[in-house]
Structures are given as C-alpha cells and as structure tokens.
Amino acid sequence: MIQAESVASATPVPAAPLAAAQAARPAQSALLRRAMLLLAVLGGGLAAIATLGPRILDINDLGWLLHGTLGPDPVAYLMAWTYFAPAPWSWPPGLNPDYGLELSSAIFYVDVVPLMAFLAKALRPLVEIPQYWGPWMVLSAALQGAFAWRLLSLEVEDAPSRALAALLFVWQPLLLNRMGGHFALVSQWAMLWALWLCLRPVPRRQALQWAGCLGVVAMLNPYVMAMCGGLWVADWFGRARAGLAWQSLGAQLLMVPAAMGGALWLAGYFTLAGDVVPMGVHYGHSQLDLTAPFDATEWGRLLPALPGLRHWEAGGSYLGAGILVLLALALALAPRGALRGAIRRYPMLVLMLLGMLGFAMSNHLAIAGHVVLQFDLPGPLERVADMLRASERFFWPLAYTALFCGVVVLVRRLPVVRARLLLGALLLVQVVDIQAGMGRFRALVAAAPAVAAERLPDPFWEEAGRRYQRLRAVPAANFGPSWEPLARFAAPRGILTDAAYHSRVDPAALRRLQRRGRAALVAGRWEPGTLYVLRDAETLALVAARANPQRDLLAVKDGLQVFAPGWFVGR
C-alpha cells in the first residue's frame, strides 16, 4: 500500500483534468441510463401502436370501437362512457344510473378504466374526449416498459441490457393480447410495480408504496387488483417472517385496505348488492391449459400450434419464441441450487405464485386440450371464484417473475457485451414471432371505417328518437338480444335504456325488472314516453292483444319487433 501510494505521488497528474475525467464518467453513465430508460418507455408505447395501428391515438375516431371487429366489449365501454361523460358528478363519482336504468350500477362494472374515465370527465370543460382507450393503451404499454425497467434495476446494472430486457416485458402476448377488446387488462404494469415492491431489499416507505399501488389498480381492473393484492399479502408475511418492524407492518394493515376500499368506493364497486352474477362462463371453464404458455396458435409465427383448450382466453398465455428461448437458456445457465436459494429467500412469494398458478388451472385441470382432473368446489368458494372466472389470467404473475429471473440469470452468467447481443437477438426473435397476432389485430382495426355504419338505418328510428325519451327491451336482460344496436341508437340521443351490457349484474334486480315489465304489459299499462322492443313471442302476444291499432304502432323495423305507444296520435 505504501509503495503504491509512493508511485502514485511520484506521477505528475494535472489536478483539473483528472477531476474533470472523474466527473465525466458518472455523467456519461447517467446520460446512458436516461437514454435507455427512454428507449424502454418509447419502445413500450410503440408496441401498442404497432399492435392496433396509429389511428387509436385519435380521440375522435370511434369507428374501430363501434364496428364490432374487436368484439362487443368496446361497444359497451363506449356506450357506458357516452352516458357517464355528460352526467353530473355524483357520490360515489363512478355511478352511471342512465346506462341500464334499473340494471345500472357504476362504470366499474363495464370495465371502462374508472381512473381514466374520471380524468377524461374532469377535462370536459376544457376538451371533449369521445374516446380515451387508444391513448390509454399506449400509455399502459409505455408504463409497462418503465416498470419493467424499475423491476430489472434490482439486479441488472447494465443499462442497455436492462432496456432490451424491459422491452421483452412489453412485446409479448400476455399484454398485447388484451388490446383485442379487454382494454382495462393492459394495466399489467401494476403487477410489475407490485413485484418490485416484493423483491426490493430495502422497503423504504413500503406501506405508502403498497397503498399507492393497490389504490391505483383498484380503479383500473379487478383481475389485476386481485393479483397485486395477492403479491402484497405474500410480501407482508414474508417481511414479517424476516423480522421487519411491526410499526411498518401495522401501518400496511391500515393503509393498504383503506386505499383499496376508498378507490373501489370511488369507482362504484359497492353499488351492487346481493349474489352478483358474472357474465359468460363460470369458474373452471376458461382455465389455464398447461400447454398454453408454449402454444403459438393465436400469436406465434415461428413455433407450431399445440393441442390445447380453445376457449375465449385461448392464446393469451403464449410467451413468445424469444422469451421461451430465454427461459430455456436461463435454465441451462442457472447455477446449481439457484431455485432452492430463491425459495429460501422468498418462501411466501413462491407460495403465492404457486397458489395463483393453481387458481389459474382451476378445478378442471387440462393438459393439451384434455381435462385430466375435475372436482367440485364448495358452494361459497365457487361463488367467490366465479367473480374471477377467467382464471387463466392468474398465470401472469408467475410468467413475469419467471421472465425477470431468466433475464437476471443471463446477465449474471454472461459477459456484458454478450448479454446485450443475446438480449437484442431474443427481442428480435420475439417481435418477429408475435407478428402473427399483432398483424391480425392491426387488420381488424384497419378494416373498421372511421364512422361506423348505422345498425338501425330505417327512418323510423330517427323519428322515434325525437318522440321517445326511454327505450325498453322486454323481457329485460343483461347482454340480451339486440342490446348493441339498441344501445347505439339510444346513447348518442340521450335516450335512457335498459338494453345494456354489464360485466356483473344483481340477479335480484333483473328478476324484479322482468316481473314488473311483464305485469305492466299484462295490464296494458305503457310507460309514458317509452318505446318498446319485444324480444320473444310471448311478449309480442301480450302486447298485440292490448295495443290500440288506431293509436299504437306494432311493426318490424330492421328485424326488430317494435311497439310504439301513441305513434299515430297527432299525425
């Protein structure tokens, strides 16, 4: 040490240039990190644009939402927003009583991303926003890149490697597949936020961070909220087991549920009571097939399709060729005992991830398209599981954790330059592979006209829109026959209607409405200012026997049986 110091002191080095050189290296490193973070964010946003096309950024373009190529859900989002946007603010602010009449509840139950709906509604005095889902998806994809960068910063020091790996978290079907109609589910960046909170070694302001994470995601999507909530529970027990101060743990038990409950109340979650019934299939019928992560059927160009379930979630768990190769290489390069070490370090997190995987597989265990094990759940447990019936989605936290671990293994086991080249090559393979799914979505959006065609072009409807203030479809139903053309007719004209599509409804309220509607028809009692669409032969017979042909119109218009009380009065 003394000899080294003597040599150094004997070497004349100008003080100013040395100080400048020492200052230049950290500045250059910080500049590189900022540039790579920007690459992750912009590359993430670009993934959404590349998936659906740039027209989604035009807030005045409604054609791609209304045309129907992306399914009925975007139509429901737009109909609910059309009623919610001009309505006066209420408490809770998520209430949307004009969409569905007696079946109405809140925007939370139409998956319209309540947080964005609040923001867009608050901006209406300054700018009217006909649609915000396109910008929302681009923003979410950018946030996915940003939170992936933050998560990877725990273990990946090299900025270029971190940026390339962060883009793998975005350019993959788990996220991009949701842009085909389930727009609220692109909020998967909140899961990366939650994983970062679970894995960071120094839990500074952990209670505040978890409250922020779960408070935000509670106003985005219930599925992602449930996954993030599970990760919080795992983190809480894991840090309690490790001896974290009870002041912090106790603060979390107060702050996190309060933040979630307050956010859910704002979004209108508590507006439904009783035994709420979900739309569509029940738990166990859209489960994770164990071949799904490797099945390229909907999204892959480079790998073959595998036998698997073909339910409505099919294709959404495919990882992509680049990620699959990355995971295979990581398994080959991982040091012996690495898995055991991870389990010992994060036992609660591992248990939670396996528990979510089990929930994703459901009580109908499927392999290669065949249900190999099936069992019944207790009634109360089945009703709870039904609220999150699309259980395949609960594979996501494990998939993201596996991707994170795979990247960490590669970066640790390879020289920096080789790791960069490999991650870049894997990203290229991934992007090429998933062009099958991305191209399909782009074509669907491109095929939609800027102005969607009218579903009810008969001139009758235009006049009816001026004469009636309410539209009822009887018998009443959620997602009933012809709900979409009827809602599209009613919403832009401000006509209140029970022809609607909600993700959850109160079955007792639906039964009451059906009984009351039938009783009114039996009595020949028509609601003032109300136009009726008759959905079945029994209802038609009831109305035909009691209508007055001199006053009332009973006819078929655009394939729908309509009853217009008082149509001929004053004509």
Side-chain angles (χ1 to χ4, degrees), residues 119-341:
L119 176 62
K121 184 171 181 172
L123 291 174
R124 274 180 67 84
L126 301 175
V127 58
E128 185 170 345
I129 302 176
Q131 71 89 6
Y132 54 80
W133 293 277
W136 154 252
M137 285 187 282
V138 175
L139 172 63
S140 286
L143 288 172
Q144 183 92 345
F147 277 97
W149 169 276
R150 191 176 198 183
L151 174 63
L152 290 163
S153 69
L154 296 173
E155 298 288 346
V156 180
E157 178 63 27
D158 180 56
S161 297
R162 196 191 310 173
L164 292 168
L167 290 175
L168 280 170
F169 280 79
V170 188
W171 290 77
Q172 43 79 19
L174 271 66
L175 176 70
L176 302 181
N177 187 60
R178 313 325 304 189
M179 297 181 183
H182 298 146
F183 302 152
L185 285 167
V186 299
S187 52
Q188 294 171 32
W189 49 267
M191 258 187 291
L192 305 183
W193 185 359
L195 280 172
W196 174 75
L197 290 172
C198 288
L199 297 174
R200 64 179 186 154
V202 181
R204 288 176 295 185
R205 295 188 289 274
Q206 192 79 338
L208 188 61
Q209 284 273 1
W210 273 118
C213 176
L214 289 169
V216 168
V217 77
M219 288 194 287
L220 299 178
N221 180 263
Y223 280 91
V224 183
M225 177 189 70
M227 296 174 209
C228 292
L231 294 174
W232 168 62
V233 171
D235 181 64
W236 193 93
F237 279 104
R239 296 196 189 272
R241 181 175 175 272
L244 184 67
W246 278 101
Q247 295 92 324
S248 175
L249 295 171
Q252 288 189 47
L253 290 179
L254 293 175
M255 294 175 63
V256 175
M260 290 179 65
L264 289 171
W265 179 81
L266 290 171
Y269 173 79
F270 300 105
T271 56
L272 283 186
D275 190 13
V276 177
V277 175
M279 279 293 305
V281 299
H282 293 271
Y283 178 71
H285 296 280
S286 56
Q287 74 276 41
L288 176 73
D289 189 308
L290 291 181
T291 62
F294 316 97
D295 182 8
T297 178
E298 296 286 338
W299 274 86
R301 171 180 288 177
L302 303 179
L303 298 179
L306 300 177
L309 298 175
R310 294 293 181 260
H311 52 58
W312 64 320
E313 292 285 307
S317 294
Y318 176 58
L319 295 176
I323 291 177
L324 288 173
V325 172
L326 183 149
L327 295 178
L329 290 174
L331 283 174
L333 292 173
R336 182 176 298 180
L339 180 59
R340 287 194 300 272

Side-chain angles (χ1 to χ4, degrees), residues 296-301 431-441:
T297 178
E298 296 286 338
W299 274 86
R301 171 180 288 177
V431 172
V432 170
D433 183 45
I434 63 174
Q435 285 307 304
M438 295 175 70
R440 180 167 53 89
F441 280 5

Side-chain angles (χ1 to χ4, degrees), residues 521-538:
L521 296 183
V522 168
R525 188 171 61 248
W526 326 126
E527 289 185 46
T530 300
L531 174 68
Y532 295 85
V533 172
L534 313 179
R535 282 174 161 159
D536 60 21
E538 180 185 1

Side-chain angles (χ1 to χ4, degrees), residues 10-90:
T11 306
V13 179
L18 178 61
Q22 290 174 338
R25 280 195 296 270
Q28 185 179 19
S29 178
L31 180 61
L32 179 62
R33 284 197 299 272
R34 286 194 291 268
M36 292 297 100
L37 172 58
L38 186 62
L39 173 64
V41 172
L42 294 181
L46 179 62
I49 297 173
T51 301
L52 295 178
R55 65 181 291 189
I56 64 171
L57 289 171
D58 182 357
I59 62 173
N60 294 301
D61 187 345
L62 306 182
W64 64 280
L65 293 165
L66 286 175
H67 190 58
T69 51
L70 294 179
D73 288 12
V75 181
Y77 307 155
L78 190 56
M79 296 302 98
W81 169 245
T82 302
Y83 285 103
F84 179 73
W89 286 101
S90 60

